[in-house]
Amino acid sequence: MVTIKDIADIANARTPMQWDDSPYAGFSDVEPWIEVNENYHQINAASQLADPDSVFHYYQKLIRLRKEHPVIVYGHYELLDADNEAVFTYTREYEGKKLLCVCNFTGENQTVELPEEFRTGAAKRLIGNYPEQETPGALRPWEALVLLIGE
């Protein structure tokens, strides 16, 4: 018979919330009935809040950008290079602004042909999960990049 603990061990789907690096990840003062993931010393809410380059702060930036730039929400969507299974690329256009989103969904470097208007100095980088690109269209593993024209 498979128990809930067995499922948690196999799928690692259910573990207590990792609030900090204190005993039991700050989830409880006593040992919880389900194991805390071993990585709670490094991966926890407190460490995310303390690191300006964390996933938490990245999502905050995404939410702020969505509120600041209506093109993200209301723009006309156009998928580019639909046959490329490694890189998801699309544009959105709204009220004279054009946004380009490029996401490398692989652990390998990828090269994409950026639309001409985004290869010029007119494009502003809104967000990315790596430092600035040295070569336009050269994507590092798991890189996501958003550019904007018309601001």
Side-chain angles (χ1 to χ4, degrees):
M1 176 170 161
V2 176
T3 67
I4 291 176
K5 182 181 181 320
D6 294 330
I7 293 170
D9 289 344
I10 294 167
N12 197 19
R14 290 187 59 183
T15 61
M17 177 64 187
Q18 296 174 193
W19 292 107
D20 56 36
D21 62 357
S22 66
Y24 313 118
F27 176 78
S28 175
D29 293 334
V30 296
E31 184 174 359
W33 66 271
I34 190 169
E35 282 185 58
V36 173
N37 192 309
E38 294 174 7
N39 67 6
Y40 79 92
H41 290 288
Q42 297 81 31
I43 300 174
N44 59 64
S47 69
Q48 288 286 300
L49 292 171
D51 179 2
D53 294 324
S54 70
V55 172
F56 173 83
H57 288 286
Y58 191 82
Y59 271 86
Q60 275 193 326
K61 290 175 193 174
L62 288 172
I63 292 166
R64 186 181 68 249
L65 288 170
R66 189 174 194 277
K67 291 178 181 180
E68 291 173 358
H69 299 280
V71 66
I72 294 171
V73 179
Y74 303 110
H76 170 75
Y77 168 87
E78 182 182 354
L79 179 64
L80 306 176
D81 198 10
D83 295 330
N84 189 338
E85 294 182 7
V87 180
F88 179 52
T89 308
Y90 68 90
T91 60
R92 282 189 168 278
E93 280 189 79
Y94 184 72
E95 295 183 341
K97 296 181 178 163
K98 191 168 185 178
L99 177 128
L100 172 71
C101 181
V102 184
C103 302
N104 177 1
F105 287 139
T106 74
E108 306 292 325
N109 290 325
Q110 299 291 327
T111 303
V112 295
E113 184 72 24
L114 299 179
E116 179 66 35
E117 66 254 64
F118 288 95
R119 285 185 255 153
T120 67
K124 173 186 173 187
R125 183 176 192 261
L126 286 185
I127 195 167
N129 61 335
Y130 276 92
E132 295 284 337
Q133 283 186 313
E134 293 179 18
T135 306
L139 299 172
R140 292 156 279 202
W142 314 111
E143 183 167 12
L145 175 67
V146 179
L147 303 173
L148 180 69
I149 294 175
E151 190 168 37

